[in-house]
Amino acid sequence: MSQAPATIALVDDDRNILTSVSLALQAEGFTTRVYADGAAGLKGCIENPPDLAVVDIKMPRMDGMEMLRRLREKSDLPVIFLTSKDTEIDEALGLAMGADDYIGKPFSQRLLIERIRAVLRRTANRRNGAAESEPPAEPIVRGKLEMDPARHRVRWGGRDVALTVTEFLILDALAQRPGFVKSRDQLMDVAYAHDSYVDDRTIDSHIKRLRKKFRVVDHDFKAIETLYGVGYRFDQED
C-alpha cells in the first residue's frame, strides 16, 4: 500500500506566494491547504491538522507569532516560519516560541521544499521510533527526566512537558550522556538535516525554550547547563 501524501498548510496573506508554492508542492506530490491569514490558518490547523504548516510572520488579523503561540497551546504540529530576510529578531523569536525551522524571504521554492522534507523526516523518525529494520528506541530515565522516544513523550518529576520535534532531538542528544558536553555544531547535526542552514543562535533559542518549558513544571529546573564558548550539557539530578 502506498503512503498517503503529506499535507502541508500554507498560511500567508500574499496570494501569489500561496498559489506558486502550492503548485510547486503539488508537483512534488504533496497535498496543500491554503489560508490567507493567521486566524484562518489557526482554525484550520487545529480542526483539520495537516502534517506541517508553513507560516508567514507578518499577516493581518493574526500574525504568525500569535498563531504559533496559540497553536502551541494545543498542538506540537511542525511549523516552518517565513520571515523577512533582514529581520533577525523574527528568526530568534520564532524559534524560541517553538517553530521547527525558518526560511527568509525572498526564498527559493526548492530550498523550502527541502526544508519541509527535512522537518517531516525528523517528525516521522521521532513519532514512529527508529526505522522498521531497527528496534524501537528505549526510554531514557535521568533523575527526574523520563523520555520515551517511541511515543515522543517527556516527563519531569512525573509531569508531562510538551516538546517540538526539534526540542526533543536536542534534549535527547544531551540526555544520552549526562555530564558530557555537546557543542552547538554537534547539536545542529542532531537536530537538523545536513542540507539545512542554521547558526549558533538557532540552538541557543531552542535551549532557552527548553528551559522555559521545564520551568513551567519545576521553577528550580537547572539540568541544562551552559558552558560558555563550549556548548551545553545535561546535569543529571538524583
Side-chain angles (χ1 to χ4, degrees):
M1 182 182 297
S2 61
Q3 186 176 3
T7 298
I8 310 300
L10 303 173
V11 189
D12 199 309
D13 61 319
D14 187 328
R15 294 191 179 276
N16 290 329
I17 289 180
L18 289 180
T19 299
S20 63
V21 174
S22 182
L23 289 173
L25 286 170
Q26 290 171 21
E28 294 291 326
F30 294 99
T31 298
T32 60
R33 301 184 196 130
V34 298
Y35 304 96
D37 60 69
L42 177 65
K43 186 173 185 292
C45 287
I46 290 176
E47 295 182 354
N48 190 17
D51 295 291
L52 180 145
V54 177
V55 181
D56 186 30
I57 286 184
K58 292 177 171 55
M59 295 183 291
R61 292 186 63 194
M62 180 187 295
D63 65 21
M65 294 292 189
E66 180 63 14
M67 176 186 163
L68 179 61
R69 185 187 70 79
R70 297 191 188 188
L71 183 64
R72 283 290 173 259
E73 293 174 353
K74 301 177 180 293
S75 170
D76 64 352
L77 174 75
V79 171
I80 295 177
F81 261 148
L82 299 180
T83 74
S84 300
K85 192 171 184 180
D86 58 349
T87 310
E88 294 182 358
I89 187 64
D90 286 351
E91 299 167 0
L93 183 56
L95 290 167
M97 291 176 64
D100 292 272
D101 208 341
Y102 66 86
I103 187 168
K105 291 183 175 181
F107 57 87
S108 155
Q109 290 185 356
R110 173 53 52 191
L111 177 59
L112 176 59
I113 290 169
E114 289 175 356
R115 293 289 185 90
I116 288 171
R117 285 181 169 146
V119 173
L120 288 174
R121 282 195 300 269
R122 298 202 309 267
T123 303
N125 289 340
R126 186 51 55 194
R127 289 180 177 172
N128 297 334
E132 292 182 2
S133 59
E134 300 176 0
E138 293 293 327
I140 297 170
V141 178
R142 302 285 187 263
K144 294 181 181 179
L145 176 68
E146 302 171 55
M147 299 185 70
D148 187 342
R151 296 177 176 80
H152 188 77
R153 185 176 186 181
V154 177
R155 297 172 68 97
W156 180 263
R159 299 180 65 183
D160 288 327
V161 182
L163 302 183
T164 66
V165 174
T166 306
E167 291 165 353
F168 194 103
L169 289 170
I170 291 172
L171 179 62
D172 181 67
L174 293 171
Q176 288 287 348
R177 301 188 70 191
F180 286 80
V181 179
K182 287 282 187 180
S183 69
R184 289 173 176 82
D185 286 344
Q186 288 174 317
L187 294 176
M188 283 190 282
D189 286 344
V190 168
Y192 285 88
H194 292 294
D195 55 359
S196 292
Y197 300 97
V198 293
D199 57 25
D200 290 354
R201 184 180 62 250
T202 303
I203 295 300
D204 294 342
S205 295
H206 284 307
I207 292 292
K208 289 178 183 177
R209 181 68 177 174
L210 275 167
R211 287 170 173 155
K212 181 177 180 180
K213 287 186 174 183
F214 277 98
R215 284 169 183 160
V216 170
V217 300
D218 180 0
H219 70 275
D220 290 325
F221 176 83
K222 298 177 181 177
I224 299 177
E225 294 184 327
T226 301
L227 281 80
Y228 293 99
V230 181
Y232 297 96
R233 70 182 173 197
F234 183 84
D235 182 21
Q236 180 174 332
E237 298 180 359
D238 296 331

